[in-house]
Amino acid sequence: MFTTTRWSLVLAGANSDGDQQKATEALAELCRTYWRPIFSYVCRRGYSPEDAQDITQDFFLMILKTNWLRQADQNRGRFRSLLLKSVQNFLHNVADTHRTLKRGGGVEFVAWDAWMVETPSQLSISPRALDSLAPERLFDLRWAATVVEQAIRRLREECESKGRLRLFEALRDYLAAEHPDISYADIGAGLGVADTIVKKQLHNLRQRYRWLLRDEVAHTVANPADVDDEIRHLCAALAAAA
Amino acid sequence: MNKATKPHDSAADGIADLAKCLQCGATTRLNRGTCISCFLREGLETKGEASRETFERILSEADVTDTHWRLGHYEILEEIGRGGMGVIYRARQQHSRRIVAVKRMLAHQVNSHETLVRFRREAEAIASLDHPNILPIHEVSESEEGVPYFSMKYATGGSLRAAARALHNNPRECVQLMAKVAHAIAYAHGNGILHRDLQPGNILLDENAEPMVTDFGLAKWLGQTSNLTRTLETLGTPGYIAPEQAEYRAAELTRAVDIYSLGAILFYLLAGRPPFVGANVLVVIHQAATTPAPRLRSLVPSLDRDLETIVARCLEREPRTRYRTAGELAVDLELWLEGRPVIARRVSPPAQAWRWSKRNPKLAAVTAAAFSSALAAIFLFFSHAGLSSLAAFAATAIAFCSAVAVPFLFFSGETTPSHKAPEKSIAVLPFVSMSSDPENEYLSDGLTEDLIMAFSQLEGLRVPARTSSFAFKGKNEDICRIGQQLNVTKILEGSVRKVGDRLRITAQLINVADGDHLWSQSFDQHMREVFAIQDEITREIVRALEMQLVSVGDQSLAKHGTYNTDAYQLYLQGRYHFCKLTGDGFRRCIECCKKALKIEPSYALAYASLSLCYQHGWFYGYLSLEKKLPAIGREDQDTEKEVELHPNLTEAQTDDLLIEALRYPLAMVRFWSQAAEKAAELDPNLAETQTVLAMVRFYNDRDWPKAEDCFKQAIKLNPNYVTAHEQYAVFLACMRRTSEAITHARLAQQIDPLSPMINLHVGMVYWVIHHYDLMLTQAQTLLDLEPDFFGTYWLLGLVHWCQGMHETAVTELRKAVALGGGPLQLADLGCLFGCLGQKAEAQRILADLGELGNRMNVYPTCLGFVHAGLGNHDEAFACFRRGLEHENAPIVYLREYCVCAGLEGLSTDRRFPALLKEIGLDA
């Protein structure tokens, strides 16, 4: 069902017989996708945004350039939990003076401000939850948001590649759960198609979205059987923030 | 690495009253309101086939394609951008086949009819903007589904964000680019539109790499929502939005927010990152509101300090301490490019000081009245020279307002404060009059002004001008606060009491930083010792400031003009009355000056003051308002009387003579000229006397070389004498020496930035040389200073007239007239009506001017101006000819006016070059 996941590539790379190049690329891709939970966590731990930015980039540089790959414990199973553990250790060891690792190593980081602007990602939760959430919980919450974002983004790209971006835009907000107030007729009128077409396409998009979401989660676990468990874990994190 | 003392979240915004998801009840949202919980739980549903192949097959069944999709009469070709505000496509216009950009709002954002209406109204307002550096909007419409969209020019050069990397190591190019953007923003502000989301992505580059601002004003309407989450999305782009954008309501925001953004963009271009970075809007805003922006040179040490200062000024947390207008920022950027001193180092008058006129409405009203009269008077000069043009009037207004300003400015100029007060700086607060007789207030004011004048002539000492210092007259404000507001390190204050022939003067020098008294002394001496007292105070201050006098002796100290204290007192009284700028004030000033001259016939400053009084009394028309002048035949040269100066005339005789002289403009001109000549003859080494003489040479004699010699001499004698710079700027503008005119106009503005007159003059100089964007900047400055001042709307009317915004110009000129504008403003309005084909209105104004002529001297040129607008060229030239015969003044403004007002018919008339030739200028 799943192609080789990124995390599985990373784990394979941790073994000396694994493809190091692919492992590195896979890890870099994971880092590019999941930097926000790390950044959120570091900030929640009390660092200023500027420092958190530096720490986050240093952290990812560290895991990409050092033997962190070899330290990845296959028994851990999940990239998320290992990443969290690693950043906790990293913060514990970080000095009070600014450290800058020599950057490079084939990994190009997008300029920070470009991240801020080009990929806005606004996470909104109630103040009460925000104040009470432990950093680890916020980390999970951000992780969940990232997973959802990634799945939606991929779905959008697939629709766009087939010239159906308009359709995606019209149905995007209805992908999850049934909306009692949805008017297929109105949407169809806007798109110039019958309501039956709308219904069918919504079902199609929803199916594909589910698949993409599971695929996103799968890329962060070693065992496909862990996907449901990972999703439930993230749902629990969200429930705690409700 | 610093740990924050208090944990805060950078990845989530705590939002109160978050709406619960209708499906699951969760309050955790993502971006546009996506319920993360619902979307995540979908992943637990695994039923059904969901391979990509199947998906795409089913997807293709829907006949809802993106390509060749039509939006109105545009064929959508491809999506080129997407943001929180909408989607942008490259499209082809159906009929013209022109490639354009089309932007549409996302369907889900269109949630109410009211929103739609608001969007359309705003979009149409933006579509009316016409500036070379604003991306033009072609059309505003709605799709068949009711989704609003608009089409605009397709910028092929991408956004500034994409080009930023290449610009990073080229500061000059960054500054050149941002100067243009600043001018565009100033233009938009002048049309009442705030951007509120200026960021590199909203500045596109066309095929010539010219910057074009886009997304104008859209954030304004999008931000008006009660949904706080959505508001956070639409506040603007983190890193570039001003800190107050999160705090104030949209309606309360000012153009200062755009100025902040301009500075942040320039910071980004030069440093490679915005001033503040953070994970979300709240974090960035919090930083921007609580911490100073990092200095540019801390990130790029090789950058020029002045550039750093300019950017820092934009990024001030307090909006009032930023540049007042985007135009000012543009000017400073251009100054930097030219290698000249930037204003940011010196300018930044405290907001409270700027509001001095609000705290002193009487003085403000007097200033406005002075302006009105001055402008009318100046126009009279040019109108008699055949200058019915706005330019002619402008030049006259500038010249005369300077003359009006001389009594205010018989002190010295100031250098405007910089952020950090220079060590060698002192403000002289108005000495308090302790005399029981309120009539003795002239003495304390005069002493204060003389001290300001004396200090301002000391090299290396920064002294705020009278305007700024007198803002605190009668106010009981904390010394340290005053020092901060005036940006000085020392304050001199004191009191004056006159008891009989004795003067009791106390003075003390205070250190602003700690309030310590550095020096104090009391004087109790005979009135005849007043000069010695002033000199003593000056010496002590110089010593306290550890400065060196250029030379020892009286030459380096204030030039009192006389050592006769009786004459001096009368002179001070004259200035005091003159400053009231009323008919009664002028009469009393003339009386005092004549009495002073009777005592001290060689009192040059008294002659200079007298000259100005004659000018004002005549040009203001105060002396004629109470009586209706009999009709006279202006062509009757034989009845012209020769009027001599008669210092022994009684007040009544003076009035009679003046009124009589009003009938004969040439005679009144001689009053003025002779006084100025006498002043300069008695003491050619005073900036004041050289300036009034220069004005005579300029306006009366039309002797350009001699006029310039006098101006240069005045400036050499006192480089801080604002009137000299101001008048010289007018002269240079007339001579078409544009860059020099700008230089001296700016100098005048730097010396006295609080003066509405100076700002008006500077605006008029820009008008003469066709720098309309700078002129608009001045108008905006005036609006801040004096929103009820006729000159403000006169300036606005002129600039909008020049830009073809006729309806707006009419509105503003009407306001100018209603707020006290004289024949000149009325004539401008009449001419504009004529140009617009509203003949009845123009004719009505002609009649009004005729009626005014029964009460004051309305120059024929005013009438000629209206005739020119009506197309009555014969009548127009007849009026100009009468004006030329009766007064002497440059007519060069007529030429510029014709350009501005579009009077091509007049300027191409064969009589036009002949008229110019008579004035002594080339066609």
Side-chain angles (χ1 to χ4, degrees):
Chain A
M1 176 180 294
F2 295 102
T3 58
T4 304
T5 70
R6 295 189 195 106
W7 186 231
S8 63
L9 284 174
V10 171
L11 292 175
N15 301 323
S16 56
D17 56 350
D19 188 327
Q20 295 296 320
Q21 177 67 20
K22 283 190 177 177
T24 303
E25 288 172 359
L27 185 58
E29 186 63 31
L30 284 170
C31 292
R32 267 194 283 267
T33 304
Y34 292 98
W35 66 268
R36 269 202 181 88
I38 296 293
F39 180 74
S40 303
Y41 178 80
V42 174
C43 288
R44 196 71 171 96
R45 283 284 299 269
Y47 290 90
S48 68
E50 293 89 352
D51 289 342
Q53 172 188 338
D54 288 339
I55 292 171
T56 303
Q57 295 217 1
D58 288 347
F59 171 72
F60 282 120
L61 278 167
M62 180 274 294
I63 66 174
L64 287 169
K65 289 182 69 68
T66 65
N67 293 326
W68 186 84
L69 289 172
R70 297 186 186 278
Q71 296 169 6
D73 184 352
Q74 191 161 357
N75 293 328
R76 299 278 183 139
R78 303 182 192 180
F79 177 51
R80 175 185 53 79
S81 52
L82 186 59
L83 206 65
L84 177 61
K85 184 68 179 172
S86 296
V87 74
Q88 287 169 336
N89 291 338
F90 186 79
L91 287 178
H92 184 71
N93 296 325
V94 100
D96 279 346
T97 53
H98 184 72
R99 275 195 336 180
T100 50
L101 295 175
K102 185 179 176 185
R103 293 186 174 151
V107 177
E108 184 176 343
F109 279 84
V110 181
W112 193 260
D113 63 305
W115 278 355
M116 294 295 107
V117 176
E118 301 295 352
T119 56
S121 176
Q122 206 116 37
L123 175 65
S124 305
I125 61 176
S126 68
R128 178 192 58 79
L130 194 61
D131 287 340
S132 62
L133 273 181
E136 291 73 17
R137 276 297 184 189
L138 184 62
F139 175 88
D140 283 345
L141 198 151
R142 240 313 168 186
W143 194 279
T146 305
V147 167
V148 168
E149 272 185 317
Q150 282 294 106
I152 294 175
R153 181 185 62 77
R154 288 174 63 183
L155 181 65
R156 181 183 181 280
E157 287 172 357
E158 289 184 2
C159 289
E160 189 175 13
S161 71
K162 301 305 290 183
R164 297 298 188 273
L165 192 57
R166 244 192 343 144
L167 182 66
F168 170 81
E169 283 294 333
L171 299 179
R172 182 203 180 285
D173 291 338
Y174 305 105
L175 290 176
E178 290 296 331
H179 287 257
D181 57 342
I182 186 173
S183 170
Y184 296 107
D186 286 347
I187 297 172
L191 294 172
V193 295
D195 57 345
T196 51
I197 300 294
V198 173
K199 198 180 289 186
K200 182 177 182 181
Q201 291 299 333
L202 181 58
H203 177 75
N204 185 36
L205 284 167
R206 192 176 283 156
Q207 291 283 91
R208 184 61 183 163
Y209 167 76
R210 289 168 183 164
W211 191 96
L212 290 170
L213 182 75
R214 291 181 67 82
D215 188 58
E216 275 301 313
V217 175
H219 275 296
T220 65
V221 300
N223 189 340
D226 291 336
V227 170
D228 281 341
D229 189 51
E230 178 73 357
I231 292 175
R232 291 195 188 96
H233 173 88
L234 296 174
C235 285
L238 285 166
Chain B
M1 194 170 303
N2 301 315
K3 282 192 177 183
T5 55
K6 185 177 175 182
H8 60 276
D9 282 282
S10 307
D13 304 313
I15 309 300
D17 302 325
L18 267 175
K20 291 187 177 181
C21 173
L22 293 176
Q23 312 308 321
C24 68
T27 55
T28 313
R29 302 303 184 107
L30 184 66
N31 287 340
R32 302 178 305 172
T34 303
C35 175
I36 306 175
S37 182
C38 285
F39 271 67
L40 189 65
R41 272 205 301 279
E42 284 294 317
L44 296 173
E45 301 288 335
T46 57
K47 291 179 290 186
E49 170 62 45
S51 68
R52 184 154 185 175
E53 294 75 19
T54 303
F55 168 69
E56 290 182 348
R57 178 177 56 77
I58 298 174
L59 195 67
S60 300
E61 291 173 3
D63 188 19
V64 186
T65 59
D66 296 337
T67 56
H68 306 292
W69 162 40
R70 289 201 176 277
L71 198 60
H73 49 269
Y74 298 99
E75 179 188 350
I76 303 300
L77 300 176
E78 64 172 331
E79 181 177 317
I80 58 176
R82 174 182 289 262
M85 303 305 164
V87 188
I88 307 173
Y89 303 100
R90 188 172 66 92
R92 183 184 294 121
Q93 194 168 21
Q94 185 177 1
H95 300 297
S96 68
R97 311 299 290 171
R98 174 174 63 171
I99 299 297
V100 299
V102 172
K103 184 164 184 176
R104 70 172 179 90
M105 307 312 299
L106 293 171
H108 76 279
Q109 290 180 327
V110 182
N111 52 18
S112 74
H113 175 70
E114 181 187 344
T115 308
L116 277 170
V117 169
R118 197 183 308 140
F119 166 76
R120 194 181 181 104
R121 194 183 323 128
E122 288 287 345
E124 285 171 351
I126 298 159
S128 69
L129 295 177
D130 181 14
H131 189 278
N133 295 110
I134 294 177
L135 195 72
I137 290 180
H138 301 319
E139 179 191 0
V140 181
S141 188
E142 284 178 13
S143 70
E144 290 175 357
E145 300 90 358
V147 178
Y149 71 89
F150 56 87
S151 65
M152 51 194 166
K153 175 177 175 173
Y154 180 66
T156 59
S159 76
L160 187 59
R161 178 176 299 285
R165 187 184 289 272
L167 290 170
H168 178 52
N169 293 318
N170 195 336
R172 283 193 67 83
E173 203 170 327
C174 294
V175 172
Q176 280 170 346
L177 195 144
M178 289 309 297
K180 291 176 183 175
V181 174
H183 276 304
I185 299 300
Y187 169 83
H189 288 170
N191 287 278
I193 294 176
L194 291 185
H195 192 290
R196 296 207 321 158
D197 190 22
L198 281 170
Q199 47 109 346
N202 283 340
I203 299 173
L204 306 181
L205 303 173
D206 69 4
E207 60 275 10
N208 299 316
E210 280 291 303
M212 310 201 81
V213 183
T214 185
D215 272 358
F216 238 110
L218 293 178
K220 182 180 175 184
W221 78 272
L222 283 170
Q224 290 170 358
T225 171
S226 59
N227 185 320
L228 185 56
T229 304
R230 191 172 295 280
T231 299
L232 286 172
E233 292 177 351
T234 58
L235 270 179
T237 308
Y240 304 99
I241 63 173
E244 66 268 22
Q245 275 186 254
E247 186 182 327
Y248 299 168
R249 290 182 301 130
E252 295 171 339
L253 296 179
T254 69
R255 54 182 179 249
V257 302
D258 284 344
I259 292 169
Y260 182 98
S261 299
L262 289 170
I265 294 171
L266 187 53
F267 189 107
Y268 164 74
L269 291 176
L270 296 171
R273 48 154 275 199
F276 299 100
V277 292
N280 59 50
V281 174
L282 286 181
V283 168
V284 173
I285 289 175
H286 176 73
Q287 290 178 34
T290 57
T291 58
R295 303 296 288 186
L296 256 181
R297 283 163 57 84
S298 67
L299 299 172
V300 189
S302 60
L303 274 180
D304 180 76
R305 286 184 191 278
D306 278 353
L307 205 49
E308 177 186 65
T309 302
I310 291 173
V311 172
R313 176 93 187 268
C314 293
L315 298 178
E316 288 281 348
R317 280 174 286 165
E318 175 56 51
R320 294 171 300 181
T321 54
R322 301 173 195 154
Y323 285 99
R324 288 169 297 173
T325 66
E328 269 193 17
L329 167 61
V331 166
D332 241 9
L333 292 174
E334 287 163 349
L335 283 172
W336 183 83
L337 288 169
E338 294 168 12
R340 291 175 25 210
V342 298
I343 298 174
R345 280 210 176 276
R346 295 179 295 279
V347 171
S348 183
Q352 293 83 353
W354 278 108
R355 296 190 189 120
W356 74 269
S357 62
K358 303 300 184 291
R359 296 197 298 261
N360 298 278
K362 183 181 176 184
L363 183 55
V366 166
T367 306
F371 239 129
S372 176
S373 304
L375 289 170
I378 290 175
F379 175 72
L380 293 180
F381 275 117
F382 291 111
S383 64
H384 274 256
L387 266 183
S388 65
S389 72
L390 292 174
F393 175 73
T396 316
I398 291 168
F400 207 56
C401 283
S402 303
V404 174
V406 164
F408 287 108
L409 306 171
F410 265 156
F411 42 94
S412 66
E414 67 173 321
T415 53
T416 51
S418 62
H419 288 283
K420 188 178 177 183
E423 186 55 34
K424 297 288 189 283
S425 57
I426 183 170
V428 184
L429 297 186
F431 277 43
V432 178
S433 175
M434 306 293 286
S435 301
S436 56
D437 185 358
E439 286 292 311
N440 286 331
E441 193 178 349
Y442 73 90
L443 205 52
S444 54
D445 284 359
L447 175 67
T448 306
E449 291 175 24
D450 277 356
L451 286 171
I452 292 174
M453 173 67 97
F455 291 136
S456 72
Q457 295 188 45
L458 296 176
E459 191 176 346
L461 181 63
R462 192 190 155 269
V463 186
R466 181 193 189 280
T467 315
S468 299
S469 293
F470 271 68
F472 299 96
K473 182 174 179 180
K475 306 297 175 186
N476 189 24
E477 295 213 27
D478 176 67
I479 284 291
C480 290
R481 190 156 174 262
I482 294 174
Q484 288 166 6
Q485 290 176 355
L486 294 179
N487 201 34
V488 294
T489 57
K490 310 288 185 294
I491 283 179
L492 179 68
E493 61 172 10
S495 64
V496 177
R497 182 194 296 273
K498 184 171 181 284
V499 180
D501 287 337
R502 298 196 68 79
L503 267 183
R504 289 179 189 152
I505 298 175
T506 65
Q508 52 190 4
L509 183 67
I510 302 169
N511 192 36
V512 168
D514 51 20
D516 278 355
H517 284 58
L518 301 175
W519 169 86
S520 68
Q521 192 164 341
S522 297
F523 305 86
D524 187 348
Q525 299 190 20
H526 194 274
M527 183 63 204
R528 62 174 171 268
E529 300 299 326
V530 64
F531 301 130
I533 296 172
Q534 286 185 23
D535 289 350
E536 177 66 20
I537 293 174
T538 304
R539 282 199 190 88
E540 290 298 327
I541 297 304
V542 167
R543 192 173 297 124
L545 295 178
E546 298 178 358
M547 296 185 70
Q548 293 294 323
L549 288 173
V550 176
S551 62
V552 181
D554 291 344
Q555 289 80 5
S556 65
L557 299 177
K559 286 180 179 290
H560 310 295
T562 180
Y563 287 99
N564 186 306
T565 55
D566 290 336
Y568 177 64
Q569 284 192 80
L570 286 165
Y571 168 69
L572 289 184
Q573 287 182 45
R575 270 173 33 187
Y576 177 78
H577 290 302
F578 184 97
C579 288
K580 295 175 184 176
L581 297 172
T582 62
D584 180 65
F586 297 141
R587 285 197 193 88
R588 298 184 76 171
C589 177
I590 291 173
E591 176 188 339
C592 292
C593 287
K594 286 177 180 282
K595 287 179 180 176
L597 286 169
K598 191 176 177 182
I599 299 171
E600 178 57 76
S602 60
Y603 200 172
L605 284 176
Y607 270 112
S609 192
L610 188 65
S611 171
L612 291 171
C613 273
Y614 286 137
Q615 287 182 8
H616 288 68
W618 182 41
F619 291 129
Y620 278 140
Y622 287 111
L623 295 173
S624 66
L625 286 175
E626 295 165 4
K627 291 185 182 183
K628 183 173 178 178
L629 295 175
I632 59 170
R634 294 189 179 276
E635 295 81 9
D636 188 356
Q637 299 284 343
D638 293 336
T639 59
E640 190 81 25
K641 284 190 177 180
E642 289 289 332
V643 179
E644 302 290 336
L645 286 173
H646 297 285
N648 297 317
L649 285 176
T650 64
E651 181 175 338
Q653 288 174 318
T654 304
D655 279 352
D656 291 341
L657 193 61
L658 280 170
I659 291 172
E660 193 66 19
L662 284 167
R663 298 158 55 87
Y664 305 100
L666 190 57
M668 183 50 72
V669 170
R670 286 180 184 164
F671 263 128
W672 168 43
S673 300
Q674 287 173 352
E677 300 265 9
K678 192 72 176 178
E681 175 193 326
L682 289 170
D683 192 346
N685 295 317
L686 287 173
E688 295 89 335
T689 59
Q690 286 296 324
T691 300
V692 293
L693 187 64
M695 291 162 65
V696 170
R697 298 284 178 261
F698 176 28
Y699 298 116
N700 288 8
D701 304 340
R702 299 201 308 277
D703 188 339
W704 317 137
K706 284 189 180 174
E708 182 154 21
D709 285 344
C710 291
F711 278 128
K712 285 182 173 177
Q713 182 64 9
I715 291 172
K716 184 180 174 184
L717 288 167
N718 185 353
N720 288 324
Y721 188 46
V722 65
T723 307
H725 288 290
E726 182 189 41
Q727 287 298 303
Y728 194 29
V730 173
F731 170 80
L732 291 167
C734 289
M735 300 298 115
R736 291 187 160 180
R737 287 155 63 177
T738 303
S739 60
E740 293 173 83
I742 293 177
T743 298
H744 285 276
R746 286 176 178 170
L747 279 170
Q749 197 176 20
Q750 288 172 24
I751 293 170
D752 200 0
L754 296 179
S755 171
M757 295 177 279
I758 298 296
N759 280 288
L760 178 62
H761 300 169
V762 170
M764 297 312 293
V765 169
Y766 291 142
W767 177 78
V768 172
I769 59 180
H770 306 302
H771 274 225
Y772 300 135
D773 54 346
L774 294 178
M775 186 183 178
L776 192 58
T777 298
Q778 287 305 121
Q780 290 166 350
T781 300
L782 262 179
L783 203 55
D784 283 340
L785 271 178
E786 292 289 342
D788 296 324
F789 171 44
F790 87 93
T792 303
Y793 300 97
W794 181 53
L795 204 63
L796 283 168
L798 292 178
V799 70
H800 285 123
W801 187 351
C802 296
Q803 291 179 328
M805 298 169 70
H806 296 135
E807 291 305 316
T808 307
V810 167
T811 303
E812 283 156 354
L813 286 176
R814 279 191 193 275
K815 262 189 211 170
V817 172
L819 287 172
L824 191 56
Q825 284 71 45
L826 204 52
D828 285 346
L829 187 59
C831 180
L832 180 55
F833 278 137
C835 293
L836 294 176
Q838 299 179 33
K839 294 187 184 297
E841 294 286 347
Q843 292 287 354
R844 194 171 302 123
I845 285 178
L846 270 178
D848 289 343
L849 286 170
E851 173 58 33
L852 270 180
N854 292 324
R855 292 181 284 116
M856 63 176 66
N857 198 356
V858 176
Y859 282 89
T861 308
C862 281
L863 305 172
F865 191 49
V866 184
H867 281 298
L870 283 166
N872 305 331
H873 290 172
D874 290 341
E875 290 86 343
F877 275 102
C879 290
F880 297 154
R881 176 62 51 190
R882 281 205 300 277
L884 181 59
E885 290 166 359
H886 284 86
E887 298 94 37
N888 301 320
I891 200 174
V892 65
Y893 299 105
L894 177 61
R895 180 175 41 202
E896 319 320 317
Y897 175 73
C898 288
V899 171
C900 175
L903 298 175
E904 289 87 6
L906 197 72
S907 60
T908 55
D909 191 293
R910 60 177 175 76
R911 292 167 285 189
F912 192 77
L915 189 61
L916 288 183
K917 193 176 177 183
E918 271 193 75
I919 298 298
L921 294 168
D922 298 328

